[in-house]
């Protein structure tokens, strides 16, 4: 008798993933957030395609069996992790490797745009105003990159190509990577402070009034990690009081950013809609990555990109 194929449950987002390669090798069931809790007991594998949803965190503590493996089409896992999932035998994997280069390029673009005052140039063009200014050099400046995973390391490599001196800060100090105890000192010397850390209990709200206070008045802050890394009220005060020269946020505590948020109107702040890692074809890359992981799993081979559920990220970096 042919054994039954595994049930793959997909928490959908539009457009849905392309899983044609799994035809006949998985019973694919699609659900939305409202139907997730009732579907979880029948699933062997859960693909969290809607990586912005908190539905897994809300549905997981319910009754019945749970999938043996959960994959999220994102680098962060804070949106799905709950105590019950963290304590279970379920393996969690993420989309590590898809977003590294695009996010690094985006950070480099922001550094160049802020150094060359491009946002103001565009505003003046719309006003048909000719106003000569002097821009900053990027080469020879210093950057402090917080988050020593693949994204942080890609940012360091890209900035070094612009002749920016970089310091990388991770959870623990090791060769080439500073520990948290060095963060204030490094931020106080940096022209660019770049947040690319995962969201954990230790990193929640780490960029607060104190941290913005140690930065140079000429320095700029960039967040491409997770929104709650930043105390947004403290950042607003730092910018309006000119404690720092500028900032760029691609991630926020609440997404989409509400139309009445004060962040839209803060002088010196660039707001972008969580797009730093999203390049043309990125969804196809995510789908291909999952299919390759599924093929490993179905063949009984060990999975890659396995998240340490206690730490909240893939270890080994």
């Amino acid at each position: 008798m042919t054994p039954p194929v595994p049930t793959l449950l997909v928490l959908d987002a539009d457009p849905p993933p392309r899983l044609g390669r799994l035809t006949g090798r998985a019973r694919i069931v699609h659900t939305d957030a409202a139907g997730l809790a009732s579907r979880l007991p029948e699933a062997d594998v859960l693909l969290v395609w809607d990586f912005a949803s908190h539905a897994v965190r809300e549905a997981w503590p319910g009754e019945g069996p749970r999938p043996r493996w959960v994959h999220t089409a994102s680098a962060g896992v804070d949106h799905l992790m709950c105590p019950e999932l963290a304590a279970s035998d379920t393996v969690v994997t993420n989309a590590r490797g898809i977003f590294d280069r695009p996010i690094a390029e985006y950070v480099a673009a922001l550094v160049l745009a802020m150094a060359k005052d491009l946002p103001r140039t565009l505003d003046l063009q719309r006003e048909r105003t000719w106003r000569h200014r002097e821009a900053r050099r990027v080469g020879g400046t210093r950057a402090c990159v917080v988050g020593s995973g693949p994204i942080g390391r890609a940012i360091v490599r890209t900035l070094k190509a612009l002749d920016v001196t970089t310091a990388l800060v991770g959870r623990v100090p090791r060769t080439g990577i500073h520990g948290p105890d060095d963060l204030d000192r490094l931020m106080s010397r940096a022209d660019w402070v770049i947040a690319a850390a995962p969201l954990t209990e230790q990193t929640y709200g780490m960029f607060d009034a104190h941290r913005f206070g140690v930065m140079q008045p000429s320095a700029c802050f960039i967040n491409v990690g997770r929104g709650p890394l930043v105390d947004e009220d403290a950042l607003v005060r730092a910018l309006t009081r000119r404690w720092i020269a500028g900032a760029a946020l691609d991630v926020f505590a609440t997404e989409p950013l509400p139309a009445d948020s004060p962040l839209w109107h803060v002088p010196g702040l660039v707001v972008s809609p969580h797009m730093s890692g999203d390049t043309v074809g990125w969804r196809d890359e995510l789908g291909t990555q999952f299919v390759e992981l599924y093929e490993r799993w179905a063949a009984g081979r060990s999975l890659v990109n396995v998240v340490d559920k206690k730490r909240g990220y893939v270890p080994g970096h």
Side-chain angles (χ1 to χ4, degrees):
M1 179 181 295
T2 303
V5 296
T7 296
L8 167 59
L9 180 62
V10 181
L11 178 59
D12 264 336
D14 189 38
R18 297 182 181 181
L19 301 174
R21 278 171 54 184
L22 299 185
T23 301
R25 292 188 285 173
R27 172 178 169 260
I28 302 175
V29 178
H30 296 266
T31 187
D32 58 13
L36 180 64
S38 63
R39 292 285 196 177
L40 276 176
E42 68 184 271
D44 298 293
V45 179
L46 172 63
L47 168 58
V48 185
W49 191 249
D50 185 358
F51 52 80
S53 172
H54 291 170
V56 176
R57 191 165 63 192
E58 296 162 0
W60 195 271
E63 299 295 327
R66 290 294 181 261
R68 292 174 281 160
W69 167 35
V70 174
H71 177 78
T72 179
S74 61
V77 299
D78 53 280
H79 60 292
L80 57 85
M81 203 59 65
C82 62
E84 292 81 2
L85 174 54
S88 73
D89 294 331
T90 296
V91 175
V92 175
T93 57
N94 72 354
R96 184 186 189 201
I98 299 295
F99 303 108
D100 310 352
R101 291 282 297 274
I103 291 178
E105 292 171 357
Y106 201 85
V107 168
L110 288 170
V111 166
L112 289 167
M114 290 191 285
K116 304 308 178 184
D117 200 23
L118 292 184
R120 182 59 177 152
T121 295
L122 295 174
D123 288 341
L124 291 170
Q125 179 181 349
R126 282 188 288 269
E127 297 168 7
R128 301 186 182 185
T129 299
W130 181 280
R131 184 173 300 161
H132 182 269
R133 289 107 62 218
E134 294 178 345
R136 298 173 61 186
R137 288 176 182 254
V138 171
T141 60
R142 296 175 180 267
C144 174
V145 180
V146 184
S148 59
I151 293 173
R153 296 199 303 270
I155 291 170
V156 166
R157 290 193 300 271
T158 304
L159 292 182
K160 283 184 176 179
L162 296 174
D163 196 25
V164 176
T165 300
T166 59
L168 185 60
V169 179
R171 187 179 66 90
V172 294
R174 51 205 187 275
T175 303
I177 299 174
H178 297 268
D181 290 345
D182 292 333
L183 182 55
D184 285 1
R185 175 178 61 84
L186 294 170
M187 286 182 64
S188 71
R189 301 171 59 192
D191 300 288
W192 316 99
V193 175
I194 299 149
L199 182 62
T200 67
E201 290 182 3
Q202 291 72 35
T203 62
Y204 189 96
M206 68 183 298
F207 296 99
D208 54 12
H210 165 75
R211 290 270 159 69
F212 294 126
V214 303
M215 291 175 63
Q216 301 180 77
S218 59
C220 294
F221 174 79
I222 297 171
N223 186 16
V224 289
R226 303 295 288 171
L229 296 176
V230 177
D231 180 337
E232 293 176 350
D233 291 337
L235 177 60
V236 170
R237 289 194 297 273
L239 288 167
T240 55
R241 296 175 183 178
R242 300 181 185 272
W243 293 353
I244 61 175
L249 300 179
D250 186 56
V251 287
F252 302 85
T254 300
E255 296 183 6
L257 187 65
D260 60 354
S261 170
L263 294 172
W264 290 108
H265 307 292
V266 178
L269 178 61
V270 176
V271 170
S272 60
H274 203 148
M275 59 179 285
S276 60
D278 301 347
T279 53
V280 175
W282 66 285
R283 290 183 178 87
D284 289 340
E285 292 182 43
L286 288 171
T288 298
Q289 181 187 54
F290 172 74
V291 169
E292 291 173 352
L293 284 171
Y294 184 92
E295 290 171 342
R296 292 178 67 97
W297 178 82
R301 299 166 58 200
S302 59
L303 288 167
V304 297
N305 289 7
V306 176
V307 172
D308 183 321
K309 294 183 290 182
K310 302 297 184 183
R311 297 181 183 179
Y313 54 86
V314 178
H317 54 263

